[in-house]
Amino acid sequence: MTDVTDANCDAGADEMIRACLSLDQPRSFFLFAGAGSGKTRSLKDALEGLDTQTLTTLRKHSRKIAVITYTNAAADEITRRVKADPVFQVQTIHSFAWSLIEGRTADIRRWLESNLQTEIGKEQVDHAKGRGRGDAHDKRIKKIASKTKRLERLAEIRAFTYSPVGDNFGRDALQHTEVIALAAHFLTESETFQNIVLARYPFILIDESQDTMKPLMEALLTFEARHRGRIALGLLGDTMQRIYTDGLRDLDKRVGDFAQPAKQMNHRSRARIVDLANAIRRDDDGRQQRAREDKPGGTVRVFLAPNEGTDRAAFEASSRAEMARMTGDPAWQNAEAIKTLTIERHMAAARLGFSELFEPLSKPDKLKDGFRDGTLPAMRLFTHRVLPLVTAQRDGDAFAAMAVLRDGSPLVDKRGIRVGRAGQATGLDVARAGVAALMTLFKDERDPSCAEVLTLVAEHRLFPIPDQLRLCLPDDRPVAQNLADIPAEQGPFLDELDLTTPEDTPPTDTTITQAWTQALETPVSQVARYRAYVEDRSPYGTHQGVKGLEFPRVMVIADDAHTRFKGLASYETLFGVKPLGPDAQKKANMGEETTIERTRRLLYVTCTRAEESLALVLYSEAPDTIRSFLISKKWVTEDEIVMASTDGTYQEAAPQS
C-alpha cells in the first residue's frame, strides 16, 4: 500500500478528472479545490495528460476543448503550457460567450428586437404611472427615446461587433451583459445551436466556476443535463472563494450528479495559517485542508483597537514593527514588502481617497460588480479615455495623446480624419480644439468634477458618450447623433458617423442615473485613485487582484467604522459585536446570502493569501467582544491577540511559542 504523502495526497482527484475526459464516456465533474491547493495546476495537468489518440481524434473531426479561465493572464499561462496547441480553445468567459454567438446576426437581431420591445414597454408603463415633469419623468423619456432609436436601427446592422476587453461603442456593438444573456438564451432555447456546440466541444472546462455569471452557468447546467453523456462540463473552484454577487451561490448543491473530486492539500501557507483558514470556514461548509509537512509553523497575530481615539496610521505602523520583532523578519517594517488587504473595498476607498466616487456606484446591483473590478463600460470613458489623454497632454507626449484619440475618438478614425467639404475643418482639427478646451479645465492645477469633463467631452464630440452618462447631461447640451450636427464653423460633415452607444446595462429605474449623477460630482483626481486601486497599483490589494496569488507577508485590515457605505460586509456582525438587522435576518430566513456569509468569504480569501505570516488589524466599538469571539471559536489563542492600550498603541504581545 502506498503511503500518503504531500506529493500524492491529491493524486486521486487528478486521476478522476482524467477519467472524466473520455471521448467515449465523457462525464461532468466539479473539482473542489480550496486556497493554495493547486487547482490551476490540476487543470494544466489534465490538459497535458490527454493521450495522443484523443488529441488526434479531436483534430481529425475539427473539434476543440474549451478552457474558460478567470483572467486573461491565466488564459495566457495555460496557452503557454499547452504550447499554443489550437485544439485547446483557451479564453475568458466573455470571449467564450462571444465565440459561441459571433456571426449569428439574424438570431442576435431577433433577440435584441424582443428584448428592447420588452424594455420599452416596461418604461412606458412606469412613465404612465409617473406624475408631472420632474427629473424621473425626463429621464424616462430619454430612456424610451434611446431604446426606440436603437430598435429602429437594428435592421441597418449588417454584423454585430463586440470586444471582450474594451469599450463597445457604435450602433453595431453589443455590450458585455448582452453577450452573456445571448449565449445563455441560445444554449437553452435553440436546438440547432445546442447541436453546434455539441459538435464543436466534447469538453468545456471552467476555472473559478463559482464566479461565472449566474445566467450563463444556469444555462450550461441546463445544457449539460439535457445532453448528459455527450459532453463533459468540468467545473473547478471553491464556493468559499466566490467574490462576485452574480455568481451561482448554490453551485456546489447543483452538481449532485457530477463526479466530485476534491483536493485536501494547501501547498501555499504554513500550518498555522492553514489552521486559521480551516477555523474560518468550519461554520460555513466544514471543508478542511491539510498543510504540507515541510511548511510547519507560521505566524498569526490579531491587533485589536477601539474605533474611537485610535490613530490608525500609527497603530498599523506599530503593528508592522511588532510583527517584525515577533517573526524575526525585518521585511515587515518595509511597507513595499507587505501586501495590505481590506475586508471590503470601501475601506480602501476611504483610505485612498475615492469614497465619494465609490459610494454611489457601489450601490445599484447593475453597476457595483463592474465598478468594483474596473470593467464598468461607462466608467472607462474616464479611466481609459480622458485620464490617459490628459496625462499625455501634461507630459507633452503628442504621440501618446494621438494614440488615445485614434483608439477611441470617431473624430480621428478613417472617416473623420479626412479633409472636410467646402473648406470645413477635418475631424482632426475638431479633435485638437476639443483637447485644448479639455485642458483648460485642468489649468493651474485645477481638479474639475467628472460632470464638467463629461459635459465638455460631449460638447466637443471627443469620445462617444455611453447611454448611462448621456442621461446625466444637461438637457440644454444634447449629444449630437453625428458630426453633421456640429456647426459649420466648428467642423465637419460625416452625416452617418454615430457617436452614441447602446445601453451598457439597460436601466430599469432611476437608480442608475441617480448613482451616476452623484458620482459625477466628484473630482477627476478620485478617478485616478480608483483606477490605481482596481489595477492593483495602490498599497491596498483588491480581492479580484489577489485571488489566486500569494505573498510572504499579509496584513488584513478590517475597519467598519471608516466606511460611508454599509451592508456589503461587516466583520463586527461576523464577530458578534452587532446583530443581523431585520432585513438581513429576513433574507437569512428566506435562504438568501447574509452579511455574515459574505464577510466570512472575504475574510477567508484575504487571510489565505499569506504564505509565512499574517497580521489581522481590527478596529471595533467592542474589542473585548471580538477577543472573546476569536478565542471561543478557537480561531486564535490568547497569546496571539494584541490589544491596544489606552494611549492608542498596543500592549506587549506574548512571545511567539
Side-chain angles (χ1 to χ4, degrees):
M1 183 176 179
T2 303
D3 291 335
V4 177
T5 66
D6 293 345
N8 65 22
C9 177
D10 292 329
D14 292 336
E15 290 173 3
M16 187 181 296
I17 292 173
R18 283 193 290 270
C20 289
L21 301 181
S22 164
L23 292 178
D24 296 327
Q25 294 181 308
R27 186 181 180 190
S28 297
F29 65 87
F30 175 80
L31 170 68
F32 162 75
S37 62
K39 168 180 53 61
T40 303
R41 181 174 181 176
S42 287
L43 175 58
K44 295 173 183 174
D45 289 348
L47 300 179
E48 292 174 337
L50 289 170
D51 61 78
T52 303
Q53 181 59 47
T54 296
L55 297 176
T56 300
T57 302
L58 291 175
R59 294 188 183 100
K60 179 180 178 181
H61 296 284
S62 299
R63 306 184 80 192
K64 294 179 180 293
I65 298 172
V67 183
I68 302 170
T69 64
Y70 185 71
T71 64
N72 285 301
D76 293 341
E77 171 61 15
I78 293 175
T79 299
R80 185 188 65 79
R81 285 291 297 267
V82 297
K83 301 178 181 178
D85 188 332
V87 77
F88 301 108
Q89 183 176 317
V90 188
Q91 298 173 297
T92 62
I93 190 65
H94 285 93
S95 297
F96 176 71
W98 176 238
S99 74
L100 294 180
I101 67 173
E102 184 177 10
R104 301 179 65 88
T105 303
D107 292 332
I108 293 173
R109 183 182 289 112
R110 280 193 293 270
W111 183 88
L112 285 172
E113 286 175 349
S114 175
N115 194 57
L116 285 168
Q117 287 169 352
T118 299
E119 290 178 351
I120 291 170
K122 290 179 179 178
E123 294 289 352
Q124 289 173 333
V125 170
D126 291 341
H127 183 65
K129 294 178 181 177
R131 295 180 180 178
R133 291 191 55 81
D135 183 65
H137 174 277
D138 295 340
K139 294 289 191 296
R140 280 193 295 268
I141 290 178
K142 284 186 177 182
K143 291 177 188 177
I144 293 171
S146 175
K147 294 175 187 293
T148 300
K149 179 178 179 181
R150 189 181 182 197
L151 179 62
E152 292 171 348
R153 289 186 167 188
L154 283 179
E156 304 170 10
I157 297 175
R158 296 182 179 180
F160 291 94
T161 62
Y162 173 69
S163 171
V165 296
D167 302 315
N168 291 283
F169 292 122
R171 70 183 70 175
D172 58 351
L174 296 173
Q175 301 306 306
H176 300 298
T177 53
E178 291 174 337
V179 169
I180 295 296
L182 279 159
H185 173 79
F186 293 148
L187 271 172
T188 55
E189 303 300 326
S190 171
E191 184 175 349
T192 299
F193 185 83
Q194 293 171 37
N195 288 331
I196 291 173
V197 174
L198 288 169
R200 186 185 300 176
Y201 307 110
F203 316 131
I204 298 177
L205 310 179
I206 305 177
D207 195 12
E208 302 288 4
S209 56
Q210 74 277 355
D211 276 320
T212 300
M213 289 86 155
K214 182 179 178 180
L216 188 53
M217 181 55 72
E218 293 266 18
L220 285 166
L221 291 174
T222 299
F223 172 72
E224 187 278 339
R226 192 173 296 166
H227 302 286
R228 185 161 295 161
R230 298 179 62 190
I231 190 170
L233 178 61
L235 308 179
L236 301 90
D238 177 9
T239 51
M240 192 68 178
Q241 297 188 70
R242 179 168 60 87
I243 294 296
Y244 292 102
T245 57
D246 59 1
L248 191 56
R249 181 188 175 210
D250 60 345
L251 177 61
D252 55 338
K253 297 178 178 62
R254 301 283 296 276
V255 292
D257 295 330
F258 286 28
Q260 297 194 27
K263 307 194 78 172
Q264 299 179 15
M265 292 298 302
N266 182 317
H267 298 280
R268 171 186 300 152
S269 306
R270 289 199 173 272
R272 179 64 194 94
I273 297 168
V274 174
D275 287 343
L276 174 61
N278 286 338
I280 290 173
R281 76 182 298 165
R282 189 174 292 126
D283 289 337
D284 189 87
D285 60 13
R287 290 184 181 270
Q288 303 288 278
Q289 287 187 295
R290 165 182 158 182
R292 292 180 61 89
E293 293 181 4
D294 59 359
K295 287 194 173 184
T299 301
V300 170
R301 286 293 186 275
V302 177
F303 297 87
L304 273 167
N307 284 336
E308 300 296 330
T310 300
D311 182 330
R312 282 157 169 75
F315 184 69
E316 289 158 26
S318 64
S319 299
R320 291 192 294 269
E322 184 66 3
M323 287 297 293
R325 186 188 70 79
M326 286 186 296
T327 61
D329 180 3
W332 262 101
Q333 298 198 73
N334 178 6
E336 294 183 359
I338 302 166
K339 194 64 179 179
T340 302
L341 305 175
T342 59
I343 296 295
E344 245 300 344
R345 298 165 187 80
H346 56 65
M347 299 176 202
R351 288 162 180 265
L352 293 172
F354 62 91
S355 288
E356 290 80 10
L357 181 69
F358 178 91
E359 182 179 353
L361 297 180
S362 285
K363 290 180 180 178
D365 287 339
K366 292 184 178 180
L367 295 180
K368 61 185 180 183
D369 285 338
F371 174 70
R372 291 177 202 161
D373 66 15
T375 61
L376 185 62
M379 193 70 217
R380 289 172 62 89
L381 172 66
F382 298 99
T383 58
H384 287 68
R385 300 291 185 235
V386 173
L387 280 183
L389 181 58
V390 170
T391 299
Q393 286 294 113
R394 281 175 168 170
D395 294 343
D397 191 340
F399 179 81
M402 181 54 68
V404 175
L405 291 170
R406 286 187 183 278
D407 182 55
S409 177
L411 293 172
V412 296
D413 71 4
K414 62 183 179 181
R415 292 176 294 169
I417 204 168
R418 70 177 186 249
V419 178
R421 295 192 292 265
Q424 292 176 340
T426 66
L428 183 57
D429 295 328
V430 177
R432 286 172 175 158
V435 171
L438 175 65
M439 295 309 296
T440 62
L441 294 180
F442 296 86
K443 189 176 180 180
D444 298 325
E445 301 301 319
R446 187 169 177 269
D447 191 6
S449 71
C450 293
E452 291 178 89
V453 170
L454 174 65
T455 300
L456 188 142
V457 168
E459 286 179 343
H460 290 268
R461 284 70 177 177
L462 273 175
F463 301 111
I465 306 298
D467 276 3
Q468 287 181 357
L469 298 181
R470 291 179 65 235
L471 294 172
C472 300
L473 288 167
D475 288 334
D476 59 345
R477 300 199 182 177
V479 178
Q481 300 306 309
N482 53 65
L483 287 178
D485 296 331
I486 301 176
E489 62 273 12
Q490 253 188 280
F493 56 87
L494 298 183
D495 300 302
E496 72 273 359
L497 181 56
D498 193 351
L499 293 186
T500 62
T501 178
E503 303 241 358
D504 302 306
T505 307
T508 56
D509 52 37
T510 60
T511 304
I512 291 176
T513 301
Q514 291 170 345
W516 273 115
T517 300
Q518 183 179 344
L520 289 170
E521 294 304 313
T522 62
V524 173
S525 59
Q526 291 203 17
V527 176
R529 298 183 197 120
Y530 157 77
R531 183 175 181 181
Y533 174 64
V534 296
E535 292 182 352
D536 205 23
R537 293 185 287 107
S538 76
Y540 297 92
T542 66
H543 297 104
Q544 292 87 352
V546 301
K547 190 166 71 168
L549 301 181
E550 53 199 36
F551 310 94
R553 305 158 205 87
V554 171
M555 174 177 278
V556 177
I557 300 176
D559 190 0
D560 282 1
H562 278 200
T563 174
R564 293 169 176 255
F565 181 51
K566 311 290 185 181
L568 288 176
S570 169
Y571 81 92
E572 289 197 307
T573 302
L574 172 65
F575 294 153
V577 175
K578 297 178 180 178
L580 277 176
D583 291 342
Q585 189 60 60
K586 183 178 180 181
K587 287 185 177 182
N589 295 339
M590 296 173 61
E592 297 181 22
E593 182 179 74
T594 66
T595 301
I596 290 177
E597 291 176 279
R598 189 180 307 117
T599 308
R600 189 193 307 275
R601 289 201 324 270
L602 298 177
L603 183 63
Y604 179 85
V605 170
T606 52
C607 288
T608 54
R609 301 310 97 194
E611 297 174 282
E612 301 288 333
S613 50
L614 169 69
L616 286 132
V617 178
L618 311 177
Y619 300 96
S620 174
E621 63 183 42
D624 288 331
T625 300
I626 293 182
R627 179 179 180 276
S628 298
F629 175 94
L630 295 174
I631 294 173
S632 66
K633 288 288 187 179
K634 297 183 179 180
W635 286 23
V636 297
T637 59
E638 276 193 73
D639 62 0
E640 290 178 320
I641 298 178
V642 182
M643 301 290 289
S645 300
T646 54
D647 62 1
T649 57
Y650 54 88
Q651 299 169 3
E652 187 72 13
Q656 184 181 12
S657 58

